[in-house]
Amino acid sequence: GANRGIGREIAKQLAKLGATVILACLDKQQAEEQIREIEHEIQQESTGDVSVSMKSIPLDLNSFYSINKFVEEFLQLNLPLHVLINNASIMGLPKYTTNVQGIESQFMVNYLGPFLLTRLLVPVLLKNTPSRVVCVSSQAHADPLLRGQFVLEQIPPTANSYHPRRTYGLTKLALILFMNRFSKIYGSQGLVGVSCHPGMVKTKIAENDPILNSLLQVRVTF
């Protein structure tokens, strides 16, 4: 999310550029604490007074209700929306886990949740063109375990088909396909969708994957 790791750094840099930044986080208290810390850091790094505009709205991407509630609260702010960054993700849950609707949680948080959030915000994005949606994907989309296994009838994963790494790669591939199609639909209207691989960055994303987590220890730390 936006309160740690890559998401936090993105929020900070956008705020430094003068953007009004909405932090969509699972824990509102943690989000507010991070806003205060980021504001302090920006002031410390600046030579003069800097106006920072940041707000937080609770969001649980594993919940359809929470996603709809987030959009409702955002629209009530009556703010323009020029950039939506879908950064939140979970990786390699060791056990098959579902949300209250019975949808596998990794697929829901990494792909289906961001998909719904984006679709609900398309009207306001179109009102504020040029605008864009950025989905943080991963090189894991090309995981050898995934090749030849993108079968629509097996999505989302079931208890029998679930594999921690393969499911993560599946969600990241789905994001890329989503953004490719998104740009074809809305690009001519000034709304584009892009996906990106952030590289190897030491965050808590790999806490369920000891091998990958050990590799991240020698990489850049946020």
Side-chain angles (χ1 to χ4, degrees):
N3 64 326
R4 65 183 189 179
I6 295 174
R8 183 188 188 279
E9 189 65 18
I10 291 172
K12 177 180 175 180
Q13 296 305 319
L14 289 174
K16 287 178 71 173
L17 292 171
T20 295
V21 181
I22 305 297
L23 277 72
C25 301
L26 186 62
D27 188 315
K28 185 174 178 61
Q29 182 177 345
Q30 287 186 12
E32 293 295 331
E33 290 175 358
Q34 289 304 315
I35 287 175
R36 289 190 290 272
E37 289 187 16
I38 290 172
E39 289 175 342
H40 177 72
E41 290 171 12
I42 292 175
Q43 295 296 341
Q44 291 290 103
E45 295 167 8
S46 304
T47 55
D49 257 353
V50 179
S51 178
V52 177
S53 179
M54 304 182 78
K55 305 177 186 296
S56 70
I57 302 177
L59 174 63
D60 179 2
L61 286 170
N62 204 25
S63 164
F64 289 119
Y65 171 80
S66 179
I67 295 167
N68 281 279
K69 182 67 173 174
F70 170 87
V71 172
E72 180 184 324
E73 290 189 33
F74 173 76
L75 294 178
Q76 288 175 354
L77 296 175
N78 199 30
L79 291 172
L81 179 60
H82 299 101
V83 181
L84 170 63
I85 301 176
N86 291 314
N87 166 73
S89 185
I90 53 177
M91 174 193 279
L93 295 179
K95 294 182 179 180
Y96 177 77
T97 307
T98 64
N99 67 0
V100 294
Q101 284 82 24
I103 299 172
E104 194 277 317
S105 293
Q106 197 169 194
F107 186 80
M108 179 70 189
V109 171
N110 296 4
Y111 173 67
L112 198 56
F115 175 88
L116 175 60
L117 177 65
T118 301
R119 295 296 300 159
L120 292 174
L121 291 173
V122 162
V124 68
L125 284 162
L126 286 173
K127 287 181 181 178
N128 294 280
T129 55
S131 51
R132 69 177 55 204
V133 176
V134 180
C135 285
V136 179
S137 184
S138 169
Q139 191 174 356
H141 80 275
D143 192 317
L145 289 172
L146 180 62
R147 294 173 188 173
Q149 299 184 34
F150 193 88
V151 181
L152 289 177
E153 290 75 17
Q154 297 178 7
I155 299 173
T158 64
N160 292 330
S161 66
Y162 179 74
H163 181 285
R165 284 194 181 181
R166 184 168 62 241
T167 298
Y168 179 77
L170 172 68
T171 66
K172 295 306 177 177
L173 176 57
L175 284 176
I176 293 172
L177 296 175
F178 173 38
M179 287 295 94
N180 289 350
R181 182 61 179 166
F182 189 87
S183 279
K184 289 181 180 179
I185 296 173
Y186 298 109
S188 62
Q189 301 176 59
L191 171 57
V192 299
V194 297
S195 53
C196 62
H197 168 53
M200 299 284 282
V201 184
K202 183 186 176 184
T203 68
K204 293 185 178 181
I205 184 68
E207 58 190 355
N208 293 314
D209 190 326
I211 296 176
L212 180 57
N213 195 44
S214 64
L215 291 174
L216 293 179
Q217 300 303 316
V218 297
R219 301 294 178 173
V220 178
T221 304
F222 282 140

